[in-house]
Amino acid sequence: MIAKVIIFVLIIAIIYFFILPKFRSKKPSGEEQSFVECSKCDTFVELKDCTLRNGKYICKECLK
């Protein structure tokens, strides 16, 4: 009887620790892309493609 309980607990532990984590939501791999709105042309551009000037984001096209 005790052997059946131990086997049952082991099966539940295997499912919980090895199978269920594969179905949980994963964080996206790599960098996340952050978009901000240009204060001049009102388009959304990546954060790395814009400049912060006077507290507002301005895209590289508007800087020209």
Side-chain angles (χ1 to χ4, degrees):
M1 174 71 177
I2 293 179
K4 289 182 182 180
V5 173
I6 292 173
I7 291 173
F8 179 74
V9 169
L10 286 175
I11 291 173
I12 297 298
I14 288 171
I15 291 172
Y16 182 77
F17 289 110
F18 295 108
I19 296 174
L20 287 181
K22 293 179 182 176
F23 296 108
R24 292 182 188 152
S25 62
K26 296 180 181 179
K27 294 180 180 177
S29 60
E31 273 185 34
E32 288 187 22
Q33 294 179 347
S34 298
F35 288 90
V36 293
E37 187 175 6
C38 175
S39 63
K40 289 190 177 185
C41 62
D42 295 328
T43 58
F44 286 92
V45 293
E46 288 187 57
L47 188 59
K48 65 179 182 179
D49 294 332
C50 63
T51 304
L52 185 63
R53 187 174 285 176
N54 295 330
K56 298 179 181 177
Y57 290 104
I58 301 172
C59 67
K60 291 180 180 178
E61 296 295 322
C62 292
L63 288 174
K64 293 181 182 178

